[in-house]
Amino acid sequence: MSYKLSERTLDTLPRLLEGIATTEQWQAKRSRIQAQWLQLLGTPPAAEECPPDYDIVMEERGDGCLRRDIRYQTADGDHVTATLLLPDSCLTGKKRHPAVLALHPTAEEGRLDTAAPSGRENRRYGLELAARGYVVLAPDSITCGSRIYPGSEAFQTAPFYEEYPEWTAVGKMLQDHMRAVDLLSSLPEVDGGRIGAIGHSLGGYNGWFLAGMDRRIKAVASSCGFSMFTGDPDPNRWGQRDWFSHLPALTDSIREDRIPFEWHEIAALAAPTPLWMWSGLGDTIFPNWPAIGAGMNDLASVYELLGREGAYEFWMGHGGHDFPVKARSLAYDFLDEHLKQGMSD
């Protein structure tokens, strides 16, 4: 696949089900999209064998949960610092709980923005989900929080690419997140069949990226984490930049007026995993809301083909780049529906 960026309009958006009438035909197309996506993500180093365990850095009780700051190893020999929130109900019984990977937005403080009382207003979704009875794991992504490279500022990926020129920051984040799912799945307090992901902005698109790669993710809620190349005033936000470079090879593609995919094609890799998406009409980061709406509307057709209409929701409101209370309430209800349904008290 390849599209001329200069010719992208709402009327010429690639349709996910163009020429497709059966689930078998869709799966064949999905395989082609996934192969191209994996190629763009780059080549990771050889994986190391390491058990899904962790070291406790700090532990405290409060606000209805046990909070642990932990550290664990990744498949490429790196280490992640994360916050693990265990509701008090985990400590008083043997029942396994649903779990959520809380992925932080573009915040220098990383995980603390979502999983600590010091987090910003409308960003403490990790704490809020722990209060709803979820085991929550909130890891620092590369270049944020405890993982800022020595001598660099937050979001500087240059040191990463010096070490891994054939890999990408997105590929690294996804491998780290899959490692986090390994850890969650191993916890005695967690029902391994009820693990979801939630995130805003950077964390939002990491959530549906992850769902497209790892079927252990059973539901995703993404706030302001979706855009389209079509109508984007800064399509190179995804390519090579002076700070956080997601997928550097995209820069050459954009300069040559070709893009290998539209973003709703990558989002479609998550189907039929339950997916909840939120965008704001006043979002100045992702301002191309007409194309975002068109892409999200087309994504619904894939869920319909797969017989999972109820597993997909897209909401757009009159907000900015934010995760307001009403949106979070909808997101939490969606996660409850798909991760708690059928559980006994």
Side-chain angles (χ1 to χ4, degrees):
M1 297 178 294
S2 183
Y3 308 115
K4 278 186 170 291
L5 181 58
S6 62
E7 296 178 357
R8 282 275 68 78
T9 68
L10 294 182
D11 293 332
T12 61
L13 285 179
R15 301 300 174 187
L16 291 168
L17 297 186
E18 185 173 355
I20 291 176
T22 67
T23 57
E24 291 77 15
Q25 290 172 327
W26 164 247
Q27 291 301 333
K29 180 174 182 178
R30 184 190 185 278
S31 295
R32 293 193 297 271
I33 296 171
Q34 185 178 52
Q36 194 164 18
W37 178 234
L38 290 172
Q39 183 177 11
L40 185 63
L41 291 178
T43 305
E48 295 185 9
E49 289 289 336
C50 53
D53 54 14
Y54 61 86
D55 296 320
I56 298 175
V57 178
M58 182 276 292
E59 183 173 278
E60 63 182 5
R61 294 284 295 272
D63 298 321
C65 70
L66 174 66
R67 172 195 176 98
R68 287 176 179 161
D69 282 348
I70 65 174
R71 193 167 184 265
Y72 55 89
Q73 186 175 331
T74 68
D76 58 294
D78 194 7
H79 288 83
V80 175
T81 299
T83 294
L84 177 64
L85 302 174
L86 297 167
D88 282 348
S89 53
C90 288
L91 313 176
T92 58
K94 296 182 179 179
K95 185 181 100 171
R96 290 179 179 264
H97 289 58
V100 170
L101 193 59
L103 304 175
H104 64 75
T106 306
E108 182 174 344
E109 60 269 34
R111 73 190 191 281
L112 300 180
D113 202 29
T114 71
S118 60
R120 291 174 293 170
E121 191 73 18
N122 295 338
R123 302 294 185 272
R124 296 186 289 268
Y125 39 86
L127 282 179
E128 291 171 351
L129 285 168
R132 291 175 76 102
Y134 288 90
V135 173
V136 175
L137 182 63
D140 280 335
S141 289
I142 57 168
T143 76
C144 303
S146 63
R147 302 181 71 191
I148 299 172
Y149 286 98
S152 293
E153 297 179 355
F155 313 115
Q156 294 292 334
T157 51
F160 168 78
Y161 286 108
E162 289 173 6
E163 186 173 1
Y164 302 110
E166 304 301 321
W167 208 8
T168 62
V170 172
K172 167 62 171 166
M173 288 189 294
L174 284 174
Q175 180 166 284
D176 287 354
H177 297 336
M178 287 188 280
R179 181 62 177 163
V181 178
D182 292 342
L183 192 151
L184 276 175
S185 300
S186 74
L187 297 178
E189 299 88 354
V190 169
D191 182 338
R194 298 177 185 269
I195 297 176
I198 188 171
H200 172 74
S201 192
L202 172 75
Y205 51 80
N206 267 270
W208 53 266
F209 285 174
L210 178 61
M213 299 279 288
D214 194 330
R215 290 303 188 197
R216 293 176 297 174
I217 295 296
K218 302 303 182 184
V220 175
S222 172
S223 163
C224 296
F226 182 79
S227 187
M228 296 279 277
F229 285 115
T230 301
D232 191 340
D234 181 24
N236 195 52
R237 71 176 75 244
W238 302 106
Q240 179 70 52
R241 301 185 293 176
D242 291 335
W243 65 306
F244 197 98
S245 296
H246 292 78
L247 301 158
L250 283 178
T251 294
D252 286 341
S253 295
I254 292 168
R255 286 172 179 164
E256 295 168 5
D257 192 28
R258 58 180 176 83
I259 48 175
F261 53 76
E262 254 297 3
W263 280 112
H264 68 314
E265 294 176 307
I266 305 304
L269 295 176
T273 298
L275 180 62
W276 182 94
M277 303 282 253
W278 161 262
S279 292
L281 291 166
D283 191 333
T284 57
I285 305 297
F286 297 136
N288 50 327
W289 61 264
I292 291 171
M296 290 288 91
N297 187 57
D298 195 37
L299 179 57
S301 67
V302 176
Y303 280 82
E304 291 169 4
L305 177 70
L306 299 177
R308 297 297 306 278
E309 295 93 332
Y312 174 69
E313 293 185 16
F314 171 62
W315 295 81
M316 185 175 283
H318 293 283
H321 196 74
D322 197 10
F323 200 177
V325 172
K326 288 186 177 180
R328 295 202 309 282
S329 178
L330 290 169
Y332 299 164
D333 288 346
F334 184 87
L335 292 175
D336 285 351
E337 177 184 354
H338 295 285
L339 296 179
K340 289 185 175 181
Q341 197 171 63
M343 295 190 75
S344 58
D345 294 331

